[in-house]
Amino acid sequence: MRDIGKTFPGVRALDGVTLDLYAGEVHALVGENGAGKSTLMKILAGAQPADSGEILIDGKPVIIDSPRKAEDLGIGMIYQEFNLVPALNAIDNIVLGNEPGRGPFINEREARDRATKVFAELGITIPLNVEAGKLSVAQQQMIEIAKVLSRRARIVVMDEPTAALTEREIERLFVLIKVLTSRGVGIVYISHRMEELPRIAQRVTVIRDGRAIETRKTSDFPPDEIIRAMVGRRLESHFPDLPAVPQSAPPLLQVRNLTRPPAVNGVSFEVRRGEIVGLAGLVGAGRTEVVRAIAGADVPQSGEVLIDGKRLHAGAPIDGIRSGVAFITEDRKAQGLVLGMSVRENVTLAHLSQFENRERLIDRGKEEAATEQYIDELRIRTPSTEQLVRNLSGGNQQKVVLAKWLLGDAKVFLFDEPTRGIDVGAKAEIYNLMVKLAQNGAAIVMVSSELPEVLGMSHRILVISGGRIVREFTRAEATPDAVIAAATGAAA
């Protein structure tokens, strides 16, 4: 890719970016959210046209004007946000657009064999006949990876492929990547996880503000220098200091024997004002289901939730909102945002009564003023309040979700994978925001699959397995080995 340029209304997304990839190489592409990484890869995948520059494959210029053309050229794209059809099962998603058979008739046996083979290569088991929308986030991610690999692409772009995977699944993915590169497949690997780069990539290119800032061998590019190149400044500390929580502080959130079989089974815990409690565990342990039940997104079979001593009768999310519960979901596109609406509309959607005038009509000026305030405070990169959120990067979309809840009078914040797919600079901003909320007296529950994040951002850690709390650690007691041992059922 040579001198690639791309301009959106009011924004120069790419400004003369050059990137090369060798057969059998893993080339990591890093940068802050909104830097232009995903736009560059969408151009390669035929999802967006470039305004300038050229793409060469095997030294020959090519025109990629559609995803089908990219696929025909041997380019496969695994997007950061899922691109599955929720109503179709794993088999149908994998062969979609490339169905075996003749004419209108699909050879279902061959389709099943194709899906079974690629999952065997991945070393994982997925329920083949279950609708993708009913599978876990990690399972959906593995279907995305299997879909591209089933088409034997020569160039594979992986945009945050490990964001929803467990350590075991990540190891399997890395083994598979090595198999692919041994066959001559070149891989562009986009990741915000600095620790992954030396394990998997031979070279690293940093993108900042639409420009390729620097390319080096991974062995010659220490993580602190990568981060400095990404953000244009040094990040002094990965995790901020947590505020002290007085032992006398009363519980703001109380969860008593919460049950919603089979995922939630008799969960009880408390969170005090100013406290951050982390929920740790393996994928499928029930962490997300616990916070969904607290928020009213799923109605529990039994048990109770109390906010400031008052029982929350949550039959729907609106009941939780009215009681001061903010739920930042793990899948921002499907559950946290309305992609076809603007930044302004998404920020104010849950709190429209705040913007009613005497005639009970929405005051657009007040909406815009409130939205602009949070755009400034959270450093949301958007041309205007009227930009559609689907056009923002993943990190900026997450900030819009946060702005929506900060606009209300929430007292309890439920963060489910708050930094998934977000760069290190944006992570630091969200961590500081969580600390600020705690300092102001909020009670915070955080679900995270990143163990360093759980250890670094929690006053206490509750380990969940089989829908139950199996162990509690104070900040001083928690170690990676002890938390993993509790999550897996091994002896600490």
Side-chain angles (χ1 to χ4, degrees), residues 170-183:
I170 290 172
E171 290 301 325
R172 287 173 179 163
L173 174 63
F174 285 176
V175 169
L176 179 62
I177 287 174
K178 291 177 181 178
V179 171
L180 292 173
T181 54
S182 70
R183 297 173 182 170

Side-chain angles (χ1 to χ4, degrees), residues 44-46 57 64-77 94-99 114 147-148 150-155:
L44 178 61
I57 296 179
I64 306 176
D65 52 11
S66 70
R68 173 65 74 181
K69 184 62 178 294
E71 185 178 317
D72 292 343
L73 289 168
I75 300 169
M77 179 79 183
I94 287 172
V95 302
L96 186 63
N98 195 25
E99 296 87 348
R114 190 185 298 177
K147 181 171 64 174
V148 170
S150 71
R151 301 178 189 191
R152 306 302 177 191
R154 297 175 56 212
I155 298 170

Side-chain angles (χ1 to χ4, degrees), residues 377-458:
E377 287 187 10
L378 300 181
R379 291 174 47 184
I380 301 172
R381 292 187 179 183
T382 176
S384 72
T385 61
E386 300 311 300
Q387 175 70 282
L388 298 182
V389 293
R390 67 157 55 98
N391 295 331
L392 302 182
S393 68
N396 286 298
Q397 288 177 348
Q398 185 75 326
K399 290 180 181 180
V400 172
V401 175
L402 292 171
K404 174 175 63 177
W405 295 118
L406 293 174
L407 183 60
D409 295 322
K411 298 177 285 188
V412 175
F413 288 82
L414 309 175
F415 286 88
D416 193 358
E417 304 288 359
T419 64
R420 174 175 291 165
I422 291 178
D423 63 76
V424 289
K427 279 186 177 184
E429 293 173 356
I430 289 178
Y431 295 151
N432 288 328
L433 173 62
M434 292 173 68
V435 167
K436 184 177 179 181
L437 291 172
Q439 290 172 334
N440 292 336
I444 297 175
V445 178
M446 180 186 69
V447 174
S448 177
S449 296
E450 296 190 26
L451 189 53
E453 185 170 83
V454 174
L455 297 174
M457 284 300 298
S458 304

Side-chain angles (χ1 to χ4, degrees), residues 1 12 42 50 53 56 68 75 108 113 136 146 155 193 215 232 248 256 283 286 316 320 341 367 372 446 466 481 488:
M1 303 183 77
R12 182 67 171 166
K42 286 176 182 177
L56 296 90
R68 173 65 74 181
I75 300 169
E108 294 185 1
D113 290 344
S136 70
I155 298 170
R193 296 183 173 182
T215 298
S248 59
R256 297 176 178 172
V283 172
M341 295 175 70
E367 271 192 306
E372 287 173 353
M446 180 186 69
D481 289 348
T488 58

Side-chain angles (χ1 to χ4, degrees), residues 289-302:
E289 289 79 1
V290 168
V291 292
R292 285 181 61 85
I294 294 172
D298 296 328
V299 180
Q301 184 183 89
S302 60

